[in-house]
Amino acid sequence: MTIKFYSRLPLHGETKYLPGDSRNRGDWNQAQGQGTGAVSNFEVGDTFGYIDYLSQIARATEINGFEGVLLVNAPSGEEPWLVSSLLARETKRLKFITAFQPYHFSPWNAVQMAATYQRATGNRLVWNIINGGSEFVQRQVGDFVPHDERYERADEFMQVVKGYWHSDNFSFSGKYYQAEKGGLRGPLSKAELPLICTAGSSEAAREFGARHADYYLMRAERPEEIAKLIADVRARAARWGRADEIRFGLSVDVITRETDELAHTEARRFFDAGIAAGADKAVAAHAGLRSARKLSHENEFSAKADTAAPKYEDFFVYPHVWGGLGYIGIPPGCALVGSYENVVARIREYNEIGISLFFLAGYPHLEESYRIGEYILPHFRDQAGVNVQLETTQPLAAANG
C-alpha cells in the first residue's frame, strides 16, 4: 500500500509550551505585550508577523518531503483558506488541505474560489469538509442547525458542488440549496475539483464520508479500533459503489528522539506542565460543550481521573501511542512517542491495516518538520516514491463522484 505524508500549520499559535504561554511563537499568549517568542508581541503593521512564521513552516515541510499541510479551522485561529492562498505563492509544490464548513460558503462561492485557486496553483488545493464538534462553538459562529442536520446540509452542499463543477447547466432543488442552470464555464472549467477529506465518527459523519470522501480522516486509536472503523466506513462506501475509491488518513502528533528515553523526557515535560497548570481540569470542565464522540481511551482516561492522580505512563493506549496530550487539551490528542525506529514501526503497523495518508507534526512545528523529514520519512521512500503530490487511482472526476 502506498503511503503519503502531510504536516500541519499551527493557525492559532505555536505550542512548544502549553497554549497561552508567553514563550510561544505567535501572539496567542495570555499576557499580551509580554511575550518572548518570535512575533509574540505582533501588532498590525509590523514588518514581520505570524504569517511569516507560517511561511517558514510551510517551506520547511516542503523541503523535507511532506506533500502538503493541514490547516485546521477554529474560531480562535487564522482563516485557513486565506492563509493557504497567501502561502501558495511562497511554495512550489506543497498542497494545502483547507478545512471549512458548508455553513461558511454557498456552494457556488466555494466552487468559484476553488477553481480560481486551482488554476493559480496547479491544482494544489484539497478540501477538508468539517461540520463542527461542539454545539456551543457552532452557536458562537451563528450556526444553529443541529448536529445530524449539518451533515444532511453537507451532503446537499457536495451534490451541488459536484453538479456545478461537472456541468455548465446544472439545476438542483433541495432542503438547503437551490440551483438553476448554473456551473463552471470557460477557463474556470479547466480546473480539477479538489480532493475531498472529511472526518467524524458519528453515524451521520460516517455516512457523509462514505458517500463523498476521497480520504476519511481519523484520530489515532488502538490499531484494532482503527481497523474496525475502516471496515465500517468502507462497507458504507460500498453501498455507494465506492469501496475501492475511499482511502483513509490518520492525524497523530510525533514526539521522537534518538532513544525512547529522550522521547519520553520530552513528552513528560508537556504532561507535567499541563498537570501543574490544571489544564486537565479545564478540559474536563469543558467536556460537556463537545458533541463529537469520545474515543474509547478518552472515556477510560476520564474514569481513571476520577479515582486517582494521573500518571504519565497511564496514558499509553498502545505501545508508543500516547494519549496524554489530549488529556491536557492539546489536539489532536495522541502522539507517537519513542525512538525513530519505534515511531517508524508504529506508522508501518497503521499503514498495514489500511491507513495511507498520515498527518505528522511535532512541537515546535518548524524544528520538528526537519526532525520528522530527516529521521522518519526517509524510511518510507520505497512506498511513497517522490513525495510531492497526492495521487489518485482514477480520474479526479470519477474519484469525486
Side-chain angles (χ1 to χ4, degrees):
M1 178 184 294
T2 59
I3 190 167
K4 308 292 180 185
F5 293 101
Y6 273 54
S7 188
R8 180 182 64 232
L9 292 182
L11 298 192
H12 51 279
E14 189 54 270
T15 318
K16 182 177 181 180
Y17 306 97
L18 293 179
D21 193 300
S22 62
R23 293 172 292 177
N24 283 327
R25 298 162 189 165
D27 51 333
W28 276 264
N29 47 67
Q30 295 172 348
Q32 290 294 314
Q34 300 178 32
T36 58
V39 297
S40 59
N41 300 310
F42 169 71
E43 297 290 343
V44 175
D46 287 354
T47 303
F48 294 100
Y50 192 64
I51 190 67
D52 298 294
Y53 179 60
L54 293 176
S55 174
Q56 283 188 303
I57 300 172
R59 286 179 287 173
T61 56
E62 187 170 46
I63 289 170
N64 282 285
F66 290 91
E67 296 188 1
V69 287
L70 173 67
L71 294 85
V72 176
N73 194 315
S76 60
E78 310 280 18
E79 201 287 313
W81 206 312
L82 288 176
V83 172
S84 65
S85 297
L86 291 166
L87 298 184
R89 300 290 285 182
E90 299 193 30
T91 52
K92 300 179 185 299
R93 307 180 76 170
L94 196 71
K95 292 203 172 189
F96 295 87
I97 300 187
T98 302
F100 69 95
Q101 297 189 37
Y103 169 71
H104 295 158
F105 309 104
S106 72
W108 172 251
N109 189 216
V111 164
Q112 187 180 36
M113 289 169 62
T116 300
Y117 191 102
Q118 298 291 63
R119 282 168 46 79
T121 66
N123 299 311
R124 291 161 56 194
L125 181 65
V126 180
W127 278 358
N128 181 20
I129 307 296
I130 58 175
N131 288 282
S134 166
E135 302 305 305
F136 178 76
V137 173
Q138 288 302 116
R139 292 192 292 271
Q140 279 187 328
V141 299
D143 185 11
F144 285 76
V145 174
H147 177 274
D148 286 2
E149 291 182 32
R150 293 200 295 271
Y151 283 94
E152 182 182 16
R153 177 179 63 189
D155 175 69
E156 279 195 16
F157 178 89
M158 285 308 305
Q159 291 183 61
V160 177
V161 161
K162 293 173 183 178
Y164 277 147
W165 206 285
H166 300 306
S167 171
D168 62 1
N169 192 34
F170 172 72
S171 296
F172 182 87
S173 179
K175 179 179 177 180
Y176 299 95
Y177 301 106
Q178 307 282 328
E180 185 173 333
K181 298 181 180 180
L184 289 177
R185 297 184 176 91
L188 288 180
S189 64
K190 298 176 183 179
E192 293 180 348
L193 176 64
L195 287 172
I196 306 300
C197 298
T198 192
S201 54
S202 67
E203 288 292 310
R206 296 184 194 195
E207 284 296 327
F208 176 75
R211 182 174 184 182
H212 294 289
D214 295 300
Y215 282 95
Y216 178 85
L217 310 182
M218 294 167 278
R219 293 183 294 147
E221 298 185 72
R222 298 177 180 96
E224 63 269 21
E225 293 172 306
I226 293 289
K228 289 179 183 178
L229 184 53
I230 288 175
D232 178 80
V233 174
R234 196 183 297 279
R236 295 169 190 258
R239 295 196 285 271
W240 294 101
R242 305 186 66 246
D244 295 330
E245 296 177 16
I246 193 167
R247 287 154 287 177
F248 298 89
L250 189 73
S251 180
V252 61
D253 283 335
V254 177
I255 302 176
T256 187
R257 297 293 187 269
E258 291 83 354
T259 66
D260 282 350
E261 182 180 6
L262 290 172
H264 287 308
T265 297
E266 176 64 6
R268 192 186 297 273
R269 177 183 71 82
F270 271 108
F271 185 77
D272 290 347
I275 297 301
D280 56 323
K281 301 297 190 297
V283 171
H286 290 86
L289 303 178
R290 170 182 170 183
S291 58
R293 180 184 72 92
K294 277 189 174 184
L295 305 182
S296 62
H297 64 260
E298 292 176 321
N299 287 317
E300 294 167 9
F301 296 163
S302 297
K304 193 177 299 183
D306 293 335
T307 60
K311 298 179 182 178
Y312 167 78
E313 296 81 4
D314 294 339
F315 293 89
F316 281 90
V317 303
Y318 193 73
H320 304 287
V321 182
W322 183 62
L325 288 179
Y327 187 72
I328 59 173
I330 300 177
C334 270
L336 302 179
V337 178
S339 66
Y340 304 138
E341 178 183 8
N342 284 322
V343 167
V344 166
R346 287 289 80 77
I347 293 172
R348 290 200 187 280
E349 184 173 5
Y350 282 119
N351 180 235
E352 288 169 0
I353 62 174
I355 299 295
S356 58
L357 176 61
F358 288 84
F359 296 91
L360 306 179
Y363 307 105
H365 289 73
L366 178 61
E367 287 85 344
E368 292 304 303
S369 67
Y370 277 92
R371 187 187 304 276
I372 296 169
E374 292 171 351
Y375 294 103
I376 303 299
L377 300 196
H379 292 273
F380 299 94
R381 284 179 180 153
D382 57 333
Q383 285 179 266
V386 180
N387 287 325
V388 294
Q389 61 181 358
L390 272 173
E391 297 174 354
T392 58
T393 55
Q394 60 279 322
L396 283 177
N400 289 293

